[in-house]
Structure formats: structure tokens, C-alpha cells
Amino acid sequence: MLQLTSVTKVYPNGVHALERFSAEIQLGEIIAIIGGSGCGKSTLLRAVAGLDRASAGTVTLDGETITAPHPKVGIIFQEPRLLPWLTVADNIGFGLSELPAAERRERVARALDRVGLADKAKVWPRELSGGQAQRVAIARALVAQPEVLLLDEPFSALDAFTRKDLQDHLLDLWADTRPTLVLVTHDVEEAVVLADRVLVMRPHPGRLFEEITINLSRPRDRNAPLFDQFKRHVLTALDRSLDRTVPDAQGRREPGGGLWW
Amino acid sequence: MTMTVELQAPAVATPQTARAPWLTRLARPLLGLLLPLSLALAWELLVWAGWSNGRLVPPPSKVFTTIADLARSGELTRHIVTTLSRVGIGFGLGVAAGTLLGGICGYWRMARRLVDPTIQALRAIPSIAWVPLFILWLGIFETSKVALIAVGVFFPVYLGLTGAILSVDRKIVEVGRIFRLSGPAMIRRILLPAVLPAYVVSLRVGLGLGWMFVVAAEFMGASEGLGYLLIDGQQLGKPAQIVAAIVIFAIIGKATDWLLEIATAPLLRWQDSFARQSGAA
């Protein structure tokens, strides 16, 4: 279980990026975090990844406090961030250097096969398309078998068709080992198609505004009326979160006042 | 009207490019030789026709005879070996010092703050200005010459390496952090490959400066070497020998740069270079 308790981040320049954010995320859940710019969603993700320390509050995974990158936590960034001097196969195996070579090769081959890029093993990253490169990044994160996979707007740089394709592919891969997914996005449809719960955040300072549970069975039909209804729900929440006249109704709960906010 | 013109244009161009791709590939480097060769030929003809005596500007044939004579007597090999070994040792020392200090200053902010301002100040001094001091300190023989070349090589290598380390993409470093690389592993698996392209460029710049400085070094009282051939040619009024030495400098300088390029090419195979793209086109 991933537990965030009153996570607060104040940057040295005085910007309150995140204000007392608490959440409890069960193993295997898919959480989408959505919100306007400056609502601290990327800050939150970086704190969970252990890349940045929170100013106050704690992030714990199975009771273990996260202060630095954790072997059970993987992350996929907005850009693929492949190492240009390594082949696709070596990029995927980058985090497996402690495994014996034979096992590493086998796991990399399986991951390549799983993301449908088996024929690209010996290719340099520069020869890949944007969608292919992001799939390699997904394989690189998943091959380490993380318990929690963080995704920071992973498909926002891709065209609409590739994006939809990769969203479905991600769900497919998720079903293999069912890790916890925490996805930061600004795409309402993406949030509704992927997530069990959508957390809508509001900016200045970044905090939780509303939580929406998407109890639709998978695979989800993007054209179903119910899907549309959820989309509208999230969109309305998003609009309200950016309207300064709307008071914090849902988000401002004191810790202990209800772990499920 | 415009449509027809636009449609016709590629139709005209296609047979032209399809005719002989090997011919254009062969002709392209030859194109660059056209100007120098025709100038040389023109000068040769002018001198041959007696319109100029070619005493101060020797015709190509005379330069080649001089090179052939020097080669036959074994003198040429001796001069080349001397100069090459000076450049080799000076380059080696300069690269070693530049890499060591550049690496340390690039990696540790504290070292950079302590050392870098001094190095930048020293860099502002024209390196030739060191010559009198080097002669006083190290004598007029090999040591001072090698030291001058090493100084010339040091700065581009140092600057290139510190700059390259400082400009390594933070996003790539974060990938290393996510996979919990230790300090040495981060250097070996992320920083080293990331700085390599810029480092190779700085090595090539350094080598070029090494060749520049060997001439300066050999001007200060050498008894052999290609720079000595230049001075000797000037003092004894042998312009053909000067031009011969210049030609040999150009050939060997280009050859060593080419060797360096070839030696480092396998390390940079992954690069998406503009040169390779246009070469493939």
C-alpha cells in the first residue's frame, strides 16, 4: 500500500507547490491525478519517486518511508529519456545490471516481445518513432517489476492515435502483474479510460479538490454513454477546481479526519 | 500553368540523379580539388613559359623535387619523426592534464570554484608568451618545446570536458538516479558516454592546436623538425623548402586528425550526426 500523509512541498523560491496532500492507494489500483498547471501533480509524483524530498509529510510504501528512489517504484516520464548510446535492448536492461547476463537477456527479450518491439532490439533509440520510444521506456520501467509505477504525462507528447493505442497497451501490460499505477495527466479522457479513481487537484497551493471513483468495468468503451458521463463529471470538477469562487469542499480534510477523504 | 511547371520539374531532375550516383559520389570530393589544382597548374605553366622566374614563389614541380630530395637523403624522415614525437608527447601530456583537471572541475562544484578561475585567467594569456619563461625554466631543448605544446593542448581539452560534464542533461541523470546507480556507476554508465562526443571534438581541437604550437616551439632554436625546415629555408633563402615543409605539415596534420576520428568513430556510432545524414543522402 502506498500512503501519502500531509505531503507538503515548498520550493526555495517560496512557491507552495503542494499543501498537505494525503492519499491511500491500494496495491494494484490505478489512480489518475488531474488538474490545472501549478497544482503540484508533478511535484507529488517526484516525491513518491524519491527524486525530490517533500518539505513536510511522508510517503510510505508498505510502511517503508520513501526518501530516495526505491527499487519497488518505477517511473515513466513525459519524454522517453532513453540513453542514446545504448541499443533498445540495452536500454530496457539498464536497470537489471545486477542480474546474471543470461537472465537479463531473457527478461529483456520477454519485455521487448511484450511491447511488440522484438524486431527493434539492436536498433539505436534515434531510429524509433515517438510512440515506439515511449513503449521502450514503458518496457524499461516494467522489466524491473515495480510494485508502483508512476507515469508523468507519459503520452502527452504523442499524436492522438498513438496515444489511444498506448493507453490500451498500458492497461494490457498492467494486467500482467497488476502493479499500482499513479498517472499524472491533463487529458480527461485518458484519466477516465485508465483510472479506478481520479483525483482532481487545484492550484495555488496545489491540493486535492475532488475524488471521483470510476466504477466502469474494463475494457472501457470510449463511446459508451456512461463513459461520457464520467468524462463530463471529471471535466466539471476540473472547471470548478479552477474557479476561485468555489470553496475547497472535498479536499481540505485534516489528516486522521478520514483516511479515505 | 504553375501546376504543369511544378510537375515537370522532378521529371527532369530524376534521370539526372539516376544516371550515375557513383559518378556524383566520386565527383563531389574532386570538385574541391579543382580550384587548388588549377591554380597550381596555372602557376607551373606561368613559370614554365618564363613569365615569372618563380624564385620566391616556387612552382609545384620544384616543391616536389625538394620533397623528393629530402626524402632520398633520409632527412625528411628524421624531421618528421622529431616533430611527430614532440606533438605526440605534448598532446599526450596536455590531454592527460586537461582530462584530469577537466573531469575533476566538471564533477565537483567545490573544485571548480577553487581551480577554474585560475585556469581561466591563465587561458587568457597567449600561450606563446610562455616561451621565454619556459626556455629559462626548462632549457632550450626538448622539455620546453613539449611543455609549450602541452599547454596549447591542455586548454581546449579542459574547457571541452568541463563544459560537456556541466551540460549533461539532468533528465538523463535522473534515469540513473531512478535505477539507484552509485557514484562510480553514474560516472561510468551515464556521464562518460554522455560527454564522449564533446570530448572527442575537444581532443581534435587540441590536436590542431598541438600542430600549431609545435611550429612555434620549433621556431625557438631547434636543430631538427619540420619547423626547423621552415626557419632554415627562410635563413638560407630556400622558398621551395619552406613550401615543402608547409605541405608536409598539412598532410601529417590532416592524417593525424583523420586517425583520431577513425579511432573514436566506434565509440560514437550511436550519434545521429548531421554529417552522416547528409552523407547517406
Side-chain angles (χ1 to χ4, degrees):
Chain A
M1 188 178 69
L2 184 67
Q3 185 147 22
L4 293 94
T5 316
S6 296
V7 179
T8 301
K9 178 77 184 183
V10 183
Y11 282 106
N13 59 9
V15 172
H16 276 255
L18 203 59
E19 181 74 26
R20 300 172 67 101
F21 184 94
S22 297
E24 203 171 87
I25 299 166
Q26 305 297 329
L27 178 64
E29 253 193 305
I30 304 181
I31 301 290
I33 300 174
I34 198 165
S37 59
C39 70
K41 46 192 200 296
S42 288
T43 306
L44 183 68
L45 215 59
R46 292 179 64 85
V48 178
L51 287 171
D52 291 333
R53 296 282 298 268
S55 315
T58 53
V59 179
T60 59
L61 177 64
D62 302 332
E64 200 182 332
T65 306
I66 290 179
T67 52
H70 191 280
K72 284 188 193 165
V73 181
I75 186 165
I76 295 165
F77 298 99
Q78 187 173 352
E79 329 79 26
R81 300 201 187 179
L82 302 181
L83 305 176
W85 53 84
L86 295 180
T87 60
V88 164
D90 288 342
N91 260 293
I92 294 177
F94 186 78
L96 304 178
S97 52
E98 275 147 41
L99 292 181
E103 195 191 336
R104 185 171 65 228
R105 257 198 305 279
E106 200 219 299
R107 275 171 72 169
V108 167
R110 214 171 334 130
L112 266 169
D113 204 35
R114 201 67 191 81
V115 294
L117 292 171
D119 56 327
K120 301 279 184 197
K122 294 270 168 280
V123 154
W124 300 113
R126 65 175 155 87
E127 295 166 62
L128 300 175
S129 71
Q132 287 172 336
Q134 197 60 308
R135 266 194 274 175
V136 174
I138 293 172
R140 178 177 65 185
L142 284 176
V143 82
Q145 295 172 347
E147 207 169 279
V148 176
L149 182 60
L150 311 169
L151 303 107
D152 190 0
E153 303 186 14
F155 310 132
S156 63
L158 305 172
D159 62 88
F161 181 76
T162 313
R163 193 183 311 148
K164 184 176 159 299
D165 190 40
L166 275 184
Q167 286 162 357
D168 295 341
H169 197 67
L170 178 70
L171 277 178
D172 195 28
L173 292 170
W174 169 79
D176 286 353
T177 54
R178 292 190 172 251
T180 308
L181 297 188
V182 182
L183 167 92
V184 159
T185 183
H186 52 227
D187 180 346
V188 173
E189 178 168 311
E190 182 166 286
V192 176
V193 87
L194 294 175
D196 296 312
R197 279 191 282 156
V198 177
L199 309 185
V200 180
M201 294 182 70
R202 82 186 311 187
H204 313 297
R207 59 209 189 274
L208 184 66
F209 178 70
E210 196 176 334
E211 180 199 326
I212 298 157
T213 305
I214 314 282
N215 48 1
L216 283 173
S217 61
R218 296 196 178 90
R220 290 171 182 169
D221 179 5
R222 287 179 171 82
N223 300 314
L226 206 56
F227 185 88
D228 233 32
Q229 207 173 308
F230 275 110
K231 243 172 86 177
R232 241 188 334 267
H233 191 154
V234 174
L235 211 54
T236 314
L238 206 52
D239 277 345
R240 281 163 51 81
S241 79
L242 295 172
D243 184 350
R244 284 171 181 283
T245 59
V246 177
D248 285 1
Q250 319 267 342
R252 273 272 172 88
R253 297 260 179 91
E254 295 307 309
L259 281 171
W260 288 91
W261 19 267
Chain B
M1 237 356 240
T2 1
M3 276 295 272
T4 6
V5 173
E6 274 174 357
L7 281 172
Q8 272 171 353
V12 174
T14 318
Q16 225 174 16
T17 44
R19 193 172 51 199
W22 58 271
L23 198 78
T24 36
R25 196 176 306 164
L26 215 79
R28 211 174 292 159
L30 291 181
L31 223 55
L33 286 175
L34 202 63
L35 184 67
L37 280 184
S38 48
L39 278 177
L41 192 69
W43 186 243
E44 185 74 49
L45 286 174
L46 268 166
V47 175
W48 177 75
W51 290 354
S52 166
N53 59 18
R55 206 162 50 80
L56 281 178
V57 186
S61 61
K62 200 158 171 237
V63 175
F64 282 121
T65 338
T66 313
I67 294 177
D69 285 346
L70 281 170
R72 211 171 305 127
S73 66
E75 247 184 291
L76 187 65
T77 325
R78 186 165 57 90
H79 291 307
I80 289 178
V81 167
T82 308
T83 299
L84 259 180
S85 54
R86 279 172 189 151
V87 172
I89 298 169
F91 180 69
L93 290 174
V95 167
T99 305
L100 191 71
L101 271 173
I104 291 171
C105 288
Y107 193 69
W108 281 298
R109 190 179 303 169
M110 195 58 202
R112 185 162 63 250
R113 292 201 174 131
L114 271 174
V115 179
D116 190 63
T118 310
I119 292 178
Q120 297 296 346
L122 288 175
R123 191 171 73 93
I125 302 168
S127 301
I128 307 293
W130 291 108
V131 168
L133 206 55
F134 280 174
I135 290 176
L136 275 183
W137 284 348
L138 307 166
I140 58 161
F141 299 109
E142 291 310 303
T143 325
S144 58
K145 293 184 178 59
V146 169
L148 182 66
I149 297 165
V151 166
V153 173
F154 169 82
F155 287 108
V157 173
Y158 169 84
L159 279 180
L161 188 55
T162 44
I165 294 175
L166 289 177
S167 61
V168 170
D169 192 353
R170 180 190 57 82
K171 293 176 170 178
I172 292 277
V173 176
E174 261 176 11
V175 173
R177 286 183 58 203
I178 281 293
F179 288 108
R180 300 171 314 286
L181 296 187
S182 62
M186 186 74 100
I187 292 175
R188 187 172 56 82
R189 299 185 63 194
I190 302 272
L191 292 181
L192 220 54
V195 303
L196 207 56
Y199 181 62
V200 166
V201 170
S202 74
L203 286 185
R204 290 177 63 185
V205 174
L207 185 62
L209 278 176
W211 279 105
M212 255 173 78
F213 280 76
V214 78
V215 178
E218 287 178 346
F219 277 180
M220 59 192 204
S223 55
E224 52 186 4
L226 292 171
Y228 162 79
L229 278 185
L230 294 173
I231 287 290
D232 185 61
Q234 178 217 328
Q235 283 168 348
L236 301 181
K238 294 187 283 189
Q241 185 180 312
I242 297 177
V243 179
I246 288 174
V247 168
I248 292 165
F249 260 125
I251 292 170
I252 299 179
K254 180 66 200 163
T256 50
D257 181 61
W258 181 69
L259 282 176
L260 195 60
E261 201 186 339
I262 297 242
T264 51
L267 300 171
L268 303 176
R269 253 180 325 141
W270 53 272
Q271 263 198 311
D272 196 10
S273 72
F274 173 71
R276 196 169 310 161
Q277 272 181 348
S278 58

